[in-house]
Structures are given as structure tokens and as C-alpha cells.
Amino acid sequence: MLDLGSGGGLDCLVAARQMLQTDPSPTGKIYGVDRSSKMIELARRNASKSVLPDRLVEFIEAPITKIPLKDASIDLIVSNCVINLVPDADKPMVFSEMHRLLKPGGRLAVSDLLAKKDMPDHVRNDAALLIGCIAGASLVDEYHRWMVDAGFEQGSIVLANTNSDLNVYQKQTAPLSCCSSKQSCESSRKNADKLDFNEWVAAYQIYAVKGKHIS
Ligand SMILES: C[S@@+](CC[C@H](N)C(=O)[O-])C[C@H]1O[C@@H](n2cnc3c(N)ncnc32)[C@H](O)[C@@H]1O
């Protein structure tokens, strides 16, 4: 399994525990990839607190647009709230990497925020809303096209709107640390406070399978 943008590594550690429940001596591996050295350190610290077989879980510092793992080596790719943080121009590379890394028949299960409609510039260009996973959300059709272009089986692609209420995250957007000055932070805060997140974005679950035949 591979977790893209693994952060503190918790999803990898939960997966390791589940794997050990069905197979106490697993031959497979779980990888977490994150470009932040601080996150990789945190994930390794968290893993060191769990009793796990040697090398079952490995955290790799790398961008998810260029992952140092072999072609067709992964059965399952997961990711939670990461792809929206990648600049639009680079998103097709993320899907190409997923397709390259999956074995034929391998699966993708991603959770991400997607845009319901084009966002105005004052939302798109707001640093706090980008960090808050709102401003970087891509349109559903665009996301679907990137997946098809990367080679995923058309008929296997599912983009399911969870219809969760995203306004519960409003107060957490625009943390002080994300702004270059108190003034820019306050303007971001006002921007976030005025915005109905549900009008612009939705939380999606995204699934796909890599075809059995390599083209
Ligand atoms: C919102 S956190 C989610 C962390 C984790 N998936 C979770 O559910 O707790 C986003 C993570 O993605 C990582 N990230 C963002 N862009 C990335 C990129 N281009 N390549 C690799 N990691 C990235 C960040 O460093 C951060 O750890």
C-alpha cells in the first residue's frame, strides 16, 4: 500500500495494524510519501511507538509528482486531503505517478476536496484558503479527465460526493502561522468568515482501478 501525502503517518499505521490482524507475518509493505521532512520525522516517531515487524512501514521524503518507487509495484494507493494542495499544472503528474506505480488490477481510494464551480480570484489566490484545502480544489470534470488521461479504466472511475458540511472547518482556516503579516492574516480570516465553503467545494471519495492490460 502507498499513502500519498502521509503527514503524521497515522493512516499507514492503522493499515499496518489491520494487515497484521489478518496476517501476523505479512510479506507486503506499506509506504507513506510526503515532501515535508518534518512530517516524515513525525511519522517515523509515531511508527517507532508502535510494535511493528521490521520494515513493514516505510516513510519516504519525496513529492507525490515524482515518487522513488518501482513501476507496477503497488496494490493499493490511498490519499487523504493532499491532491488539492498540488498546483493545478502538476496534478496530471500525480495521476500519472499513481498509474505508473499500481500493478495491473491495482486500486486507488482517495479522499479529496473538489470544486463545484470555478472560484473567483479572491478565493483562488487566498493563501489561507489554499492551506485550508479550499482554494486548490479542482473541478470534478477536470479531475476525472486527468484520471482518464493517466490511463485509469473509464468504467472503474467513481467520484462520490459525501455531502459533508464543510463549514464546520471555517474557524480552523487562516491559522496565524500561514500569513506573512498580521494584516494579510486578518484579511484572509475575513475572507474565510464570509465564505460559504459548501457553495464552492465538496468532500469527495474517489476510486479507480488500473486495467489488467498495460497499454
Ligand atoms: C492536509 S495534510 C494530510 C495528511 C494526511 N494525509 C492525513 O490525512 O492526516 C497534507 C499533507 O500532504 C503533504 N503534501 C502536500 N503537497 C505535497 C506534495 N506535492 N508532495 C508530497 N506531499 C505533499 C503535506 O506535507 C502534508 O503532510
Coordinates of all heavy atoms in Angstrom, one line a residue, residues 78-121:
V78 N -3.7 5.1 -1.4 CA -4.7 5.9 -0.7 C -4.1 7.3 -0.6 O -2.9 7.5 -0.7 CB -5.0 5.3 0.7 CG1 -5.6 3.9 0.5 CG2 -3.8 5.3 1.6
S79 N -5.0 8.2 -0.3 CA -4.5 9.6 0.0 C -5.7 10.4 0.6 O -6.8 10.2 0.2 CB -4.1 10.3 -1.3 OG -3.6 11.6 -1.1
N80 N -5.4 11.2 1.6 CA -6.4 11.9 2.3 C -6.1 13.4 2.3 O -5.1 13.8 3.0 CB -6.7 11.4 3.7 CG -7.7 12.2 4.4 OD1 -8.8 12.5 3.9 ND2 -7.4 12.7 5.6
C81 N -6.8 14.2 1.6 CA -6.7 15.7 1.6 C -5.3 16.2 1.3 O -4.7 16.9 2.1 CB -7.2 16.2 3.0 SG -7.5 17.9 2.9
V82 N -4.8 15.8 0.1 CA -3.5 16.1 -0.3 C -3.5 16.7 -1.7 O -2.8 17.7 -2.0 CB -2.5 14.9 -0.2 CG1 -1.1 15.3 -0.7 CG2 -2.4 14.4 1.2
I83 N -4.2 16.0 -2.6 CA -4.0 16.4 -4.1 C -4.5 17.8 -4.3 O -3.9 18.5 -5.2 CB -4.8 15.3 -5.0 CG1 -4.2 14.0 -4.7 CG2 -4.7 15.7 -6.4 CD1 -4.9 12.8 -5.3
N84 N -5.5 18.3 -3.5 CA -5.9 19.7 -3.7 C -4.7 20.7 -3.4 O -4.8 21.8 -3.8 CB -7.1 20.0 -2.9 CG -6.9 20.1 -1.4 OD1 -6.3 21.0 -0.9 ND2 -7.2 19.0 -0.7
L85 N -3.7 20.2 -2.7 CA -2.6 21.1 -2.3 C -1.6 21.2 -3.4 O -0.7 22.1 -3.4 CB -1.9 20.6 -1.0 CG -2.8 20.6 0.2 CD1 -2.2 19.9 1.4 CD2 -3.1 22.1 0.6
V86 N -1.7 20.3 -4.4 CA -0.7 20.3 -5.5 C -1.1 21.4 -6.6 O -2.3 21.4 -6.9 CB -0.6 18.9 -6.2 CG1 0.3 18.9 -7.4 CG2 -0.2 17.9 -5.1
P87 N -0.2 22.2 -7.1 CA -0.7 23.2 -8.1 C -1.3 22.5 -9.3 O -0.9 21.4 -9.7 CB 0.7 23.8 -8.5 CG 1.6 23.6 -7.4 CD 1.2 22.3 -6.7
D88 N -2.3 23.1 -9.9 CA -3.1 22.5 -11.0 C -2.2 22.0 -12.1 O -2.5 20.9 -12.6 CB -4.1 23.5 -11.6 CG -5.4 23.5 -10.9 OD1 -5.6 22.6 -10.0 OD2 -6.3 24.3 -11.3
A89 N -1.2 22.8 -12.4 CA -0.3 22.4 -13.5 C 0.4 21.0 -13.3 O 0.8 20.3 -14.2 CB 0.8 23.4 -13.8
D90 N 0.6 20.7 -12.0 CA 1.3 19.4 -11.6 C 0.3 18.3 -11.3 O 0.8 17.1 -11.2 CB 2.1 19.7 -10.4 CG 3.3 20.7 -10.6 OD1 3.6 20.9 -11.8 OD2 3.9 21.2 -9.6
K91 N -1.0 18.6 -11.2 CA -1.9 17.5 -10.8 C -1.9 16.3 -11.8 O -1.9 15.1 -11.4 CB -3.3 18.0 -10.6 CG -3.5 18.7 -9.2 CD -4.8 19.3 -9.0 CE -4.9 20.0 -7.7 NZ -5.8 21.1 -7.6
P92 N -1.8 16.6 -13.1 CA -1.8 15.4 -14.0 C -0.6 14.5 -13.7 O -0.8 13.2 -13.8 CB -1.6 16.0 -15.4 CG -2.3 17.4 -15.3 CD -1.9 17.8 -13.9
M93 N 0.5 15.0 -13.3 CA 1.7 14.2 -12.9 C 1.4 13.3 -11.7 O 1.9 12.2 -11.7 CB 2.9 15.1 -12.5 CG 3.7 15.5 -13.7 SD 5.2 16.2 -13.1 CE 4.8 17.9 -13.0
V94 N 0.5 13.8 -10.8 CA 0.2 12.9 -9.6 C -0.6 11.7 -10.1 O -0.3 10.6 -9.7 CB -0.7 13.7 -8.6 CG1 -1.1 12.8 -7.5 CG2 0.1 14.9 -8.1
F95 N -1.5 11.9 -11.0 CA -2.3 10.7 -11.5 C -1.4 9.8 -12.4 O -1.6 8.6 -12.3 CB -3.6 11.2 -12.3 CG -4.5 11.9 -11.3 CD1 -4.6 13.3 -11.3 CD2 -5.3 11.1 -10.5 CE1 -5.5 13.9 -10.4 CE2 -6.1 11.7 -9.6 CZ -6.3 13.1 -9.5
S96 N -0.5 10.4 -13.2 CA 0.4 9.5 -14.0 C 1.3 8.7 -13.0 O 1.5 7.5 -13.3 CB 1.4 10.4 -14.8 OG 0.6 11.2 -15.7
E97 N 1.7 9.3 -11.9 CA 2.5 8.5 -11.0 C 1.7 7.4 -10.4 O 2.2 6.3 -10.2 CB 3.1 9.5 -9.9 CG 4.3 10.2 -10.2 CD 5.5 9.3 -10.4 OE1 5.6 8.7 -11.5 OE2 6.3 9.1 -9.5
M98 N 0.5 7.7 -10.0 CA -0.4 6.6 -9.4 C -0.5 5.5 -10.4 O -0.4 4.3 -10.0 CB -1.8 7.2 -9.2 CG -1.9 8.2 -8.0 SD -3.6 8.7 -7.9 CE -3.5 9.9 -6.7
H99 N -0.8 5.8 -11.7 CA -1.0 4.8 -12.7 C 0.3 4.0 -12.9 O 0.3 2.8 -13.0 CB -1.5 5.4 -14.0 CG -2.0 4.4 -14.9 ND1 -1.3 3.8 -15.9 CD2 -3.3 3.8 -15.0 CE1 -2.1 3.0 -16.6 NE2 -3.2 3.0 -16.1
R100 N 1.4 4.7 -13.0 CA 2.7 4.0 -13.1 C 3.0 3.0 -12.0 O 3.5 1.9 -12.2 CB 3.8 5.1 -13.2 CG 5.2 4.5 -13.3 CD 6.3 5.6 -13.3 NE 6.5 6.2 -12.0 CZ 7.2 5.6 -11.0 NH1 7.8 4.4 -11.1 NH2 7.4 6.3 -9.8
L101 N 2.7 3.5 -10.8 CA 3.1 2.7 -9.6 C 2.2 1.5 -9.4 O 2.6 0.5 -8.8 CB 3.1 3.5 -8.4 CG 4.2 4.6 -8.4 CD1 4.0 5.6 -7.2 CD2 5.6 3.9 -8.2
L102 N 0.9 1.6 -9.8 CA 0.0 0.5 -9.5 C 0.2 -0.8 -10.4 O 0.6 -0.6 -11.5 CB -1.5 0.9 -9.7 CG -2.1 1.8 -8.6 CD1 -3.5 2.3 -9.1 CD2 -2.3 1.0 -7.3
K103 N 0.1 -1.9 -9.8 CA 0.1 -3.2 -10.5 C -1.2 -3.2 -11.4 O -2.2 -2.6 -11.0 CB 0.1 -4.4 -9.6 CG 1.3 -4.5 -8.7 CD 1.1 -5.7 -7.8 CE 2.2 -5.8 -6.7 NZ 1.9 -6.8 -5.7
P104 N -1.2 -3.9 -12.5 CA -2.4 -4.1 -13.2 C -3.5 -4.7 -12.3 O -3.2 -5.6 -11.5 CB -2.0 -5.1 -14.3 CG -0.6 -5.0 -14.5 CD 0.0 -4.6 -13.2
G105 N -4.6 -4.1 -12.3 CA -5.7 -4.5 -11.3 C -5.6 -3.8 -10.0 O -6.4 -4.0 -9.1
G106 N -4.5 -3.0 -9.8 CA -4.4 -2.3 -8.5 C -5.4 -1.2 -8.4 O -6.0 -0.7 -9.4
R107 N -5.7 -0.8 -7.1 CA -6.8 0.1 -6.9 C -6.3 1.5 -6.3 O -5.3 1.5 -5.6 CB -7.7 -0.5 -5.9 CG -8.5 -1.7 -6.5 CD -9.2 -2.5 -5.4 NE -8.2 -3.1 -4.5 CZ -8.4 -3.2 -3.2 NH1 -9.5 -2.9 -2.6 NH2 -7.4 -3.7 -2.4
L108 N -7.2 2.4 -6.4 CA -7.0 3.8 -5.9 C -8.2 4.2 -5.0 O -9.3 4.0 -5.5 CB -6.9 4.7 -7.2 CG -6.7 6.2 -7.0 CD1 -5.2 6.3 -6.6 CD2 -7.0 6.8 -8.3
A109 N -7.9 4.7 -3.8 CA -9.0 5.1 -3.0 C -8.5 6.4 -2.3 O -7.7 6.4 -1.4 CB -9.3 4.1 -1.9
V110 N -9.1 7.5 -2.8 CA -8.6 8.9 -2.4 C -9.8 9.6 -1.8 O -10.9 9.5 -2.2 CB -8.1 9.6 -3.7 CG1 -7.9 11.1 -3.4 CG2 -6.8 8.9 -4.2
S111 N -9.4 10.4 -0.8 CA -10.4 11.4 -0.3 C -9.8 12.8 -0.5 O -8.6 13.0 -0.3 CB -10.5 11.1 1.2 OG -11.0 12.2 1.9
D112 N -10.6 13.7 -1.1 CA -10.1 15.0 -1.5 C -11.2 16.0 -1.6 O -12.4 15.6 -1.6 CB -9.4 14.9 -2.9 CG -8.4 16.0 -3.2 OD1 -8.1 16.8 -2.2 OD2 -7.9 16.0 -4.3
L113 N -10.9 17.3 -1.6 CA -11.9 18.3 -1.8 C -11.9 18.7 -3.3 O -10.9 18.9 -3.9 CB -11.6 19.5 -1.0 CG -11.7 19.3 0.5 CD1 -11.6 20.7 1.3 CD2 -13.0 18.6 0.9
L114 N -13.1 18.7 -3.9 CA -13.2 19.1 -5.3 C -14.1 20.3 -5.4 O -15.0 20.5 -4.6 CB -13.8 17.9 -6.1 CG -13.0 16.6 -6.2 CD1 -13.6 15.7 -7.2 CD2 -11.5 16.9 -6.5
A115 N -13.9 21.1 -6.5 CA -14.6 22.3 -6.7 C -15.9 22.0 -7.5 O -16.0 21.2 -8.4 CB -13.8 23.3 -7.5
K116 N -17.0 22.7 -7.0 CA -18.3 22.5 -7.7 C -18.4 23.5 -8.9 O -19.2 23.2 -9.8 CB -19.5 22.8 -6.7 CG -19.6 21.9 -5.6 CD -20.7 22.4 -4.7 CE -21.0 21.4 -3.6 NZ -22.1 21.9 -2.7
K117 N -17.7 24.6 -8.8 CA -17.7 25.6 -9.9 C -16.4 26.4 -9.8 O -15.7 26.3 -8.8 CB -19.0 26.5 -9.8 CG -19.1 27.2 -8.5 CD -20.4 27.9 -8.4 CE -20.6 28.6 -7.1 NZ -21.9 29.3 -7.0
D118 N -16.2 27.1 -10.9 CA -15.0 28.0 -10.9 C -15.0 28.9 -9.8 O -16.0 29.5 -9.5 CB -14.9 28.8 -12.2 CG -14.3 27.9 -13.4 OD1 -13.4 27.1 -13.1 OD2 -14.8 28.0 -14.5
M119 N -13.8 29.1 -9.1 CA -13.8 30.0 -8.0 C -13.3 31.4 -8.4 O -12.4 31.5 -9.3 CB -12.8 29.5 -6.9 CG -13.3 28.2 -6.3 SD -12.2 27.7 -5.0 CE -12.3 26.0 -5.2
P120 N -13.8 32.5 -7.8 CA -13.3 33.8 -8.2 C -11.8 33.9 -7.7 O -11.4 33.2 -6.8 CB -14.2 34.7 -7.4 CG -14.8 33.9 -6.3 CD -14.8 32.5 -6.8
D121 N -11.1 34.9 -8.3 CA -9.7 35.1 -8.0 C -9.4 35.3 -6.5 O -8.4 34.9 -6.0 CB -9.1 36.2 -8.8 CG -8.9 35.8 -10.3 OD1 -9.1 34.6 -10.5 OD2 -8.7 36.7 -11.1

